[in-house]
Amino acid sequence: MSELNLILFGPPGAGKGTQAQFVAANNAIPQISTGDMLRDAVASGTELGRKAKAVMERGDLVSDDLILGIVRERLDRSDCRSGFILDGFPRTVAQAEALDKLLEQQGRTPARVISLRVPEDELTRRILSRGEGRADDTEEAVRNRLAVYRRETEPVLEHYGDASIQVDGLGSIDEVADRIAKELARS
Ligand code: ADP
């Protein structure tokens, strides 16, 4: 059986976490959220967490080296053998290149990218109204996260070019989930 290796791509507030959970459950693959992994590390006060905390609170990106270390380790675990869905990674072109290389070196299937499209005014509205109490959900950090997305992360889409599938991220959670499921069934 071939692996279902997926990247759920999109700006902050696009609904990646929610949708990645559905895809993971429906396809029996693990959801790998670098944001969740980092927040866990911060909460449990590990060395990684101590390094990441202030960077995350500002809405900046944690260094590629740190992130690549945790992703590499995570993808090596046995539950990723039939696939995985990444959420929040890759977030820089360097991360995307490193992931491509890692999968290739291990003889694994290249990752497919599902890109959630949501207009920027809607993103800000969603993040500021979801009330999760995240340290990086202040207006200033959100503005920075969106700027960092445009500058560092959007170029990742060009890196994957035609290999990425665009999905409209507006509408209800179920509507978006249906669109993603249809795209996955198609290809
Ligand atoms: P968002 O809701 O903004 O997409 P995430 O939960 O994915 O947020 O990530 C929260 C924060 O964790 C980011 O703003 C960043 O500081 C850090 N982070 C998560 N994933 C990465 C990554 N792949 N590279 C660098 N930093 C990351």
Side-chain angles (χ1 to χ4, degrees):
M1 204 182 75
S2 78
E3 300 165 63
L4 186 61
N5 296 344
L6 301 173
I7 295 167
L8 193 57
F9 186 87
K16 296 187 297 290
T18 307
Q19 297 299 335
Q21 261 177 37
F22 285 126
V23 176
N26 292 338
N27 296 280
I29 51 175
Q31 174 197 3
I32 301 177
S33 160
T34 45
D36 286 349
M37 289 165 86
L38 290 169
R39 278 185 289 277
D40 284 350
V42 171
S44 47
T46 61
E47 194 193 337
L48 170 68
R50 283 198 301 275
K51 285 182 181 158
K53 187 169 187 285
V55 179
M56 291 175 74
E57 280 173 4
R58 286 197 304 270
D60 285 331
L61 294 184
V62 172
S63 80
D64 287 340
D65 278 358
L66 278 187
I67 288 290
L68 283 165
I70 64 172
V71 169
R72 209 175 279 130
E73 238 173 61
R74 183 65 188 84
L75 292 181
D76 272 344
R77 291 201 354 219
S78 59
D79 62 339
C80 293
R81 234 174 297 171
S82 58
F84 51 80
I85 180 159
L86 286 161
D87 143 22
F89 176 93
R91 234 179 175 92
T92 63
V93 171
Q95 290 178 14
E97 287 170 351
L99 174 67
D100 295 350
K101 205 163 116 196
L102 180 75
L103 294 175
E104 197 190 321
Q105 278 170 349
Q106 299 185 344
R108 300 172 74 166
T109 312
R112 281 152 62 189
V113 182
I114 301 161
S115 168
L116 279 180
R117 320 289 298 192
V118 177
E120 197 156 301
D121 53 346
E122 170 70 7
L123 297 172
T124 314
R125 198 191 60 75
R126 284 187 190 179
I127 297 171
L128 295 178
S129 67
R130 67 186 172 190
E132 281 179 0
R134 268 171 53 172
D136 60 351
D137 278 353
T138 62
E139 241 180 280
E140 199 187 336
V142 170
R143 212 176 310 120
N144 188 40
R145 279 155 63 196
L146 290 170
V148 169
Y149 172 78
R150 278 193 301 270
R151 190 174 66 235
E152 307 279 342
T153 308
E154 216 156 41
V156 171
L157 263 190
E158 289 150 43
H159 171 81
Y160 287 109
D162 291 343
S164 76
I165 303 168
Q166 315 293 311
V167 172
D168 178 6
L170 285 178
S172 71
I173 289 176
D174 286 347
E175 281 166 349
V176 178
D178 275 351
R179 287 179 202 136
I180 295 175
K182 285 208 179 84
E183 288 298 341
L184 285 175
R186 191 201 305 265
S187 38

